[in-house]
Amino acid sequence: MRDVAKHAGVSVSTVSHVINETRHVSTDTRQRVLGAMDALNYQPNRLARSLRVKKTQTIGMIVPDSSNPFFSEIARHIEDYCFEQGYSVILCNSDGDLDKELFYANVLVEKQVDGILFVAVGLSEDNILKLNAQRIPIMLVDRQIPNLPLDSVLADNRRGGWLATQHLIEHGHKRIGCITGFSDLTPSSERVIGYHQALEEHNLGIDETLILQGDFHLQSGYDRANQLLDMNQPPTAIFCGNDLMAIGAMRAAGGRGLRIPDDIAIVGFDDIPIAQFTNPPLTSITQPLKKLGRLSSQLLIERIQKKDLDVAQHMLEVDLAIRQSS
Ligand code: RIB
């Protein structure tokens, strides 16, 4: 910084104000300093600055499955928004494992991130309590943790389950299978509640043998759909708790020579980009991926910059995207 100041003919503090934008500097002076930085190939020392201002301008994000387009899409929108606001994002994949989730939570603490966007593996209460004790702002995204007074942004999963099931009932289906995600996840349990509500509203009995637990991955959709289709009285439609399981279910039906939707109607959840390109295109519940990413980032950055905000839960609307699979 001293060499830059000498080269530009200004004081070291002026160079610091130009780099950190901590005080107005005339355009001419600013240009001279930036020119000197280029000429000397000077790179400000971010670590030194972060220790001084106790901010790293970095946000951590933990997701349970970075290979799932739902999470990679949300991560892209989060990174877009944070970069616009001058923050870098460190993305961690907990791979659905609580121990790995805690490991990465600790890594982010060591990296002194300014805040964390957290998509819980499942029974993550202990991990989050440990993280919360570090007094780093946390934003829960997509998945609630009951009894934890933390900010959250998620979709209206119960209405999504209702919309999917109501749509199938309106198309004459009475025996509707349901392949869920892990039952300890709020999105899974809420979607099943919506499924139950729609059936009850039409006085259709609930056959619990039609509800099977998957794990949000392709293979579980394929395996559970085969179980449902092997039943003595198989369902004529299947509501899947996410699009990857729905794609697995479509493969199971195709493997049996069943026509979709004529022999078996299928509805997914998330409306990830690939849902429009399956054969036939998949009916799904649209989660507001862009808004989930941008709003959670915006609210976390607001909390980083002004810690005494009230804790708030934000629930976003979902929609039904009707395509040929139903
Ligand atoms: O596809 C992954 C699922 O897990 C999504 O439905 C999302 O809501 C997450 O909870």
Side-chain angles (χ1 to χ4, degrees), residues 59-128:
I59 283 173
M61 179 179 181
I62 304 179
V63 298
D65 178 7
S66 53
S67 68
N68 182 326
F70 172 83
F71 296 114
S72 51
E73 280 292 313
I74 284 191
R76 183 170 65 86
H77 293 303
I78 283 172
E79 198 279 331
D80 283 349
Y81 183 87
C82 291
F83 186 78
E84 290 164 15
Q85 302 300 317
Y87 284 83
S88 308
V89 176
I90 297 175
L91 176 62
C92 306
N93 180 32
S94 58
D95 211 13
D97 180 284
L98 282 171
D99 292 335
K100 202 169 180 186
E101 183 180 74
L102 180 58
F103 169 80
Y104 276 121
N106 290 329
V107 165
L108 294 174
V109 170
E110 288 160 17
K111 297 275 184 198
Q112 298 189 345
V113 295
D114 297 333
I116 294 178
L117 293 155
F118 199 104
V119 184
V121 160
L123 298 173
S124 305
E125 185 170 346
D126 288 347
N127 287 349
I128 294 174

Side-chain angles (χ1 to χ4, degrees), residues 68 70-71 142-143 157 185 187 191 216 241-242 269-270 287:
N68 182 326
F70 172 83
F71 296 114
D142 172 62
R143 299 171 178 186
N157 292 294
L185 292 174
R191 290 168 199 172
F216 281 144
N242 80 335
F269 203 113
D270 293 344
Q287 293 219 55

Side-chain angles (χ1 to χ4, degrees), residues 78 117 139 141 153 291-300:
I78 283 172
L117 293 155
M139 170 64 69
V141 182
V153 175
K291 192 168 182 182
L292 276 166
R294 295 184 70 87
L295 180 61
S296 56
S297 303
Q298 175 197 330
L299 294 170
L300 178 64

Side-chain angles (χ1 to χ4, degrees), residues 28-66:
D28 174 58
T29 302
R30 179 177 167 73
Q31 289 307 324
R32 289 211 326 270
V33 169
L34 294 176
M37 288 169 67
D38 281 346
L40 299 173
N41 192 25
Y42 172 76
Q43 290 293 330
N45 183 326
R46 282 177 173 273
L47 181 59
R49 179 176 187 278
S50 66
L51 291 173
R52 195 166 56 252
V53 301
K54 295 198 187 327
K55 285 269 187 281
T56 58
Q57 292 298 113
T58 307
I59 283 173
M61 179 179 181
I62 304 179
V63 298
D65 178 7
S66 53

